[in-house]
Amino acid sequence: MVHKHIQNTFWFIGLVLLQVLILNNIHLLGYATPFVYIYFIIRYETDISRNTLMLLAFFIGLTVDIFSNTPGMNAGSTVFLAFIRPLFLRIYTPRDTDLISPSLRTMGLSPYLKYLLTCVFIHHVVLYLIMFFSFANLELLALKIVASTLLTSLCIIAVEWTRRR
């Protein structure tokens, strides 16, 4: 149990540092920014209560917000992701599976990709809606959401693939 908490603490710190020091400075073609820190919420064990996961999501989002000067944007979108994540797990995992940690290894390729893309897309929709706070430029909003979803998902798959080995 203590080992899991230490491991989760290292993941929390590592993903926040990766996000604020490197990934926040990447803007592929001016549209796509990877938000890999949400991997912490996507990958977290399923035996945790929804309220505890939402609290962890708030802290990781707030930490990224503090270092990125984005007041509450990441915190709000990660809390929403943590709130809705159990629904996606129920949709994409078989009923007879005792899933401990959602991953490529435990879920299989197709269900994991569906779960990952859905989680990342929902997070990005909420995040960019908060950032834009307007529907005035709907095409740009949609382009940023889709581009960032694809880039974030590719980065998370790369991390997941290296963890799998």
Side-chain angles (χ1 to χ4, degrees), residues 45-106:
E45 295 87 13
T46 57
D47 58 351
I48 190 172
S49 73
R50 181 182 276 182
N51 291 338
T52 305
L53 186 63
M54 288 172 61
L55 190 62
L56 288 170
F58 174 75
F59 284 128
I60 196 166
L62 184 64
T63 306
V64 171
D65 282 332
I66 289 169
F67 289 108
S68 304
N69 198 24
T70 53
M73 294 177 191
N74 291 290
S77 56
T78 53
V79 168
F80 185 76
L81 174 62
F83 176 76
I84 202 157
R85 183 185 89 132
L87 171 68
F88 299 144
L89 284 170
R90 277 195 301 274
I91 291 171
Y92 296 121
T93 57
R95 299 260 186 249
D96 59 346
T97 305
D98 289 335
L99 190 63
I100 299 300
S101 182
S103 69
L104 199 55
R105 183 182 310 142
T106 59

Side-chain angles (χ1 to χ4, degrees), residues 9 24 40 137:
T9 302
N24 280 353
F40 183 79
N137 198 346

